[in-house]
Amino acid sequence: MIDMRAAVRFNEAVAKDLFLMGLEAPAILHSARPGQFVMLGLGEGADPLLRRPFSICGRKGEDTLLILYRIVGRGTALLARLGEGVDLPCLGPLGRGFDLPEDGGTVLAVAGGIGIAPLVSLMQSRSGRPCECLIGCRTAAELVPLDALVPPDRVIRVITDDGSSGRRGLVTDLLEERLGRKEKPPGLICACGPQPMLREVARLAAQAHVSCQVSLEARMACGVGACQGCVVAASTGAGGGYLRVCREGPVFDAEEVDWGRSHGR
Amino acid sequence: MGAEPVDMRVSLGPLQLKNPVVAASGTYGYGEEYAELVDPSLLGGIVVKGLSLKPREGNPPPRIVETPCGMLNAIGLANCGLDRFLAEKVPLLDNLDTAVIVNIYGHSTAEYGDLAEALRGVDAVDALEVNISCPNVECGGLAFGTDPLAAARVTESVVRHADKPVIVKLSPNVTDIRVIARAVEAAGADALSLINTLTGMAVDVASRRPLLGNVSGGLSGPAIKPVALYMLYQTVRAVHIPVMGMGGIMGARDALEFLITGATALQVGTAHFVDPRASIEIVAGIELYCRDHGIRRVADLSGTLVV
Ligand SMILES: Cc1cc2nc3c(=O)[nH]c(=O)nc-3n(C[C@H](O)[C@H](O)[C@H](O)COP(=O)(O)OP(=O)(O)OC[C@H]3O[C@@H](n4cnc5c(N)ncnc54)[C@H](O)[C@@H]3O)c2cc1C
Ligand SMILES: Cc1cc2nc3c(=O)[nH]c(=O)nc-3n(C[C@H](O)[C@H](O)[C@H](O)COP(=O)(O)O)c2cc1C
Ligand code: FES
């Protein structure tokens, strides 16, 4: 865990309301695993106050950490205005990343919307090993161009809510088909996206007896496990209880999460 | 210049601190969470997360929402409970080279006493901070902190059972904080700390729902600093025991305002989320100020407000 000031190398729009930012943060990048995140400080003043969590989307070269983000509110709007050369507080790498088998079968990444962010770094790290990716989003304009980001041998299928790119439907439709096919089932499913989507992914994976890891989101304050603010309902242990997304997650085995008690955002 | 080192030690009644800056309960975990980033031995002390007899899973999420210059939290005193605290946390706290203060919370006067009793003889724990001011739990908490009689009873019960200095943490959610402060002093508290969070809420206009799972929560951060400072001002004039001030302290300048107003020591909370090194930089900033102003002992700065 390192707290540093990271300089913005580039910060450009890549799709509707979506930005890709390169941050010079070699020290954080070198110890980071796919699925981990950073807390970025967005302003010098007291408003906005708290740092914001972002998945480490991947790397470019040896020392540039990539963040892929969507503008949803004040903090992300401020982020989108930062230009090259500015530096901002960056704490990471944080949390538990994906637990990937050294060999094993295919890793199947399933992304909903901005959920593609941590899965890019997963695909980067699986270079030379079988890895497929299913992507769902609302419309073609929101689709992040991945050609420059992930190795060319990845099998990527796209589906959109309105049919403007790929087929019309939900990413879970693609997953259901993939799991139903005669093809060798994936060894592991790694998913990130809205909670209702993840719940369905978890259900389909369990039905097909494929292990499944999900990356969750929660409102965070500290990012290191000190404030107990970022919890998600746990299925494990007597009486359930809660797990901290920043510490026990953000990547969980799908069975660790109590999907019934778990709130969407 | 400034060859003479500043004496940063302060005493809160029987509790001695190496410097006046303490990490506030609920914002610093058990010290271990930030240990990779900051050396806790540079702090005057840490107050660990509120402890109850039984484990508490806390409130349903979302538990946090940001508001202008502040945040609302409704954690609900999630904690591992006394048994696990003694087994798992105390050995870690024992290694810390700083004062360890345990923030305690009970459902009844008797439970507060039971916690104090259970912590007798636990050497790793240097003092108790009695939380009668948490706005985020349905029964108890705030109820004890807004009624002078109840506050005094809880204090008495803890003082009777404890073998350590007792600090009582007051709530700002009262009409006149001096009434509670005096009642707690008369009941035997060694020191006071204030303020806990101010009750507040926030609403999502899209869904027309409260943004917190618990509907309401506690407001902290820079937004509450003026309120905290005024309550400190009132309290230090009403009692004779030392007071720890807190509420929105983000940097050394804020900290100095609290010391000058009459605080003997300070607690830093929400600032850690913005910058994990905040409290350590505040120690350095206070020392620098003293040096620049020819103040040899930081304790001499307390209560130097000119009105
Ligand atoms: C571990 C983790 C990894 C994340 N990775 C990414 C990422 O790679 N790319 C990305 O674009 N976003 C990511 N997020 C979400 C991101 O943190 C939020 O979008 C951001 O904090 C919003 O800040 P804001 O100031 O713009 O919004 P605010 O002005 O604070 O809020 C505006 C709206 O944004 C939404 N929002 C606020 N905080 C969150 C949150 N923590 N999670 C989800 N929605 C939120 C709410 O609907 C809210 O009403 C991640 C969150 C977590 C917990
Ligand atoms: C996330 C969070 C959790 C807290 N938990 C506790 C607690 O367990 N016990 C307690 O007495 N105060 C608790 N507090 C209150 C703080 O200790 C402090 O009184 C308050 O936040 C004001 O200081 P600040 O503005 O510097 O944060 C909590 C505050 C926050 C933000
Ligand atoms: S954000 Fe503080 S515990 Fe997770």
Side-chain angles (χ1 to χ4, degrees):
Chain A
M1 191 193 301
I2 294 160
D3 193 22
M4 61 181 289
R5 292 195 73 95
V8 175
R9 282 280 177 77
F10 55 86
N11 184 24
E12 55 209 26
V14 288
K16 185 169 174 289
D17 291 335
L18 290 177
F19 280 71
L20 185 68
M21 176 180 269
L23 288 168
E24 190 180 338
I28 292 177
L29 204 48
H30 286 153
S31 53
R33 293 161 45 93
Q36 287 189 301
F37 68 99
V38 292
M39 296 288 288
L40 291 183
L42 303 179
E44 295 300 330
D47 195 20
L49 180 68
L50 300 173
R51 295 189 185 196
R52 301 290 196 266
F54 295 96
S55 299
I56 297 172
C57 165
R59 60 169 68 209
K60 192 172 180 188
E62 273 307 294
D63 59 1
T64 304
L65 185 153
L66 299 176
I67 301 290
L68 181 68
Y69 63 96
R70 177 155 71 197
I71 300 182
V72 298
R74 291 175 313 147
T76 43
L78 267 175
L79 200 58
R81 269 184 247 137
L82 298 183
E84 193 191 332
V86 186
D87 62 1
L88 58 167
C90 182
L91 170 66
L94 300 171
R96 182 173 75 162
F98 291 105
D99 189 6
L100 299 170
E102 273 312 312
D103 46 356
T106 302
V107 172
L108 179 60
V110 182
I114 188 69
I116 188 66
L119 298 172
V120 166
S121 95
L122 180 140
M123 285 189 272
Q124 287 187 345
S125 80
R126 296 298 286 174
S127 144
R129 283 167 289 185
C131 182
E132 298 171 24
C133 184
L134 309 177
I135 299 174
C137 63
R138 278 189 297 236
T139 179
E142 292 177 7
L143 209 58
V144 181
L146 292 177
D147 319 350
L149 293 176
V150 300
D153 58 340
R154 310 286 86 144
V155 181
I156 296 176
R157 291 200 185 85
V158 172
I159 193 164
T160 47
D161 291 2
D162 64 0
S164 54
S165 177
R167 286 193 2 222
R168 178 200 292 264
L170 301 174
V171 72
T172 43
D173 299 341
L174 289 183
L175 176 63
E176 201 165 1
E177 277 168 31
R178 171 64 178 85
L179 294 175
R181 244 183 275 144
K182 284 205 201 68
E183 242 172 285
K184 194 161 177 281
L188 173 68
I189 293 171
C190 294
C192 184
Q195 272 214 15
M197 171 205 130
L198 294 180
R199 184 186 311 149
E200 180 64 5
V201 171
R203 193 185 67 79
L204 292 170
Q207 207 173 51
H209 304 290
V210 178
S211 45
C212 179
Q213 295 171 18
V214 292
S215 176
L216 299 183
E217 283 191 5
R219 299 284 186 115
M220 291 186 179
C222 71
V224 300
C227 74
Q228 308 280 343
C230 61
V231 298
V232 61
S235 64
T236 42
Y242 293 105
L243 296 165
R244 294 167 299 183
V245 171
C246 70
R247 191 78 174 212
E248 285 83 42
V251 177
F252 295 93
D253 285 330
E255 308 95 78
E256 286 179 279
V257 180
D258 182 339
W259 297 101
R261 273 205 308 154
S262 221
H263 293 239
R265 38 170 136 119
Chain B
M1 61 153 256
E4 288 253 348
V6 179
D7 182 353
M8 292 291 279
R9 291 171 300 175
V10 297
S11 3
L12 284 159
L15 177 67
Q16 310 294 316
L17 303 178
K18 64 169 101 167
N19 69 58
V21 182
V22 172
S25 178
T27 67
Y28 216 67
Y30 298 92
E32 52 174 335
E33 290 82 356
Y34 283 110
E36 265 182 71
L37 297 171
V38 285
D39 177 1
S41 73
L42 297 174
L43 291 172
I46 67 171
V47 188
V48 301
K49 176 68 191 165
L51 177 69
S52 49
L53 278 176
K54 296 265 152 53
R56 289 179 60 94
E57 67 174 34
N59 289 328
R63 290 180 175 180
I64 282 174
V65 55
E66 188 174 320
T67 55
C69 301
M71 63 178 277
L72 287 164
N73 88 78
I75 309 295
L77 290 173
N79 81 96
C80 60
L82 177 67
D83 292 345
R84 276 185 58 199
F85 175 77
L86 291 174
E88 295 168 24
K89 305 298 181 189
V90 165
L92 295 170
L93 294 169
D94 219 359
N95 294 329
L96 292 181
D97 180 20
T98 190
V100 172
I101 302 169
V102 176
N103 182 271
I104 58 171
Y105 158 77
H107 287 278
S108 61
T109 306
E111 272 192 30
Y112 280 97
D114 291 348
L115 277 162
E117 185 69 42
L119 293 168
R120 277 182 89 89
V122 179
D123 288 340
V125 178
D126 297 298
L128 305 179
E129 182 179 65
V130 187
N131 180 5
I132 52 168
S133 42
C134 182
N136 295 327
V137 286
E138 67 295 348
C139 61
L142 198 50
F144 294 108
T146 50
D147 171 6
L149 214 68
R153 278 210 205 99
V154 168
T155 306
E156 262 163 29
S157 168
V158 174
V159 168
R160 189 159 8 100
H161 288 93
D163 63 349
K164 306 175 196 313
V166 174
I167 304 161
V168 179
K169 184 164 177 181
L170 305 185
S171 169
N173 299 308
V174 292
T175 314
D176 187 349
I177 196 164
R178 292 170 297 187
V179 177
I180 312 284
R182 287 197 203 99
V184 164
E185 177 183 38
D190 294 298
L192 301 175
S193 60
L194 57 114
I195 57 175
N196 209 315
T197 53
L198 285 146
T199 310
M201 69 182 283
V203 172
D204 181 355
V205 295
S207 64
R208 302 190 189 180
R209 287 167 188 263
L211 276 163
L212 289 171
N214 189 51
V215 181
S216 65
L219 182 64
S220 65
I224 71 169
K225 197 189 90 180
V227 177
L229 205 54
Y230 179 58
M231 291 195 154
L232 174 74
Y233 174 74
Q234 290 180 294
T235 305
V236 293
R237 271 156 187 72
V239 296
H240 302 285
I241 49 178
V243 181
M244 279 208 250
M246 83 191 93
I249 297 178
M250 304 303 284
R253 276 183 76 105
D254 299 328
L256 289 163
E257 286 190 57
F258 280 74
L259 289 174
I260 290 166
T261 301
T264 300
L266 318 153
Q267 291 188 25
V268 176
T270 302
H272 293 120
F273 306 152
V274 180
D275 177 1
R277 294 184 50 81
S279 40
I280 287 175
E281 269 151 26
I282 290 170
V283 177
I286 294 172
E287 192 169 357
L288 191 69
Y289 176 91
C290 289
R291 204 165 281 185
D292 287 352
H293 290 77
I295 298 164
R296 301 259 291 276
R297 292 162 20 112
V298 72
D300 295 341
L301 186 60
S302 290
T304 54
L305 183 73
V306 184
V307 189

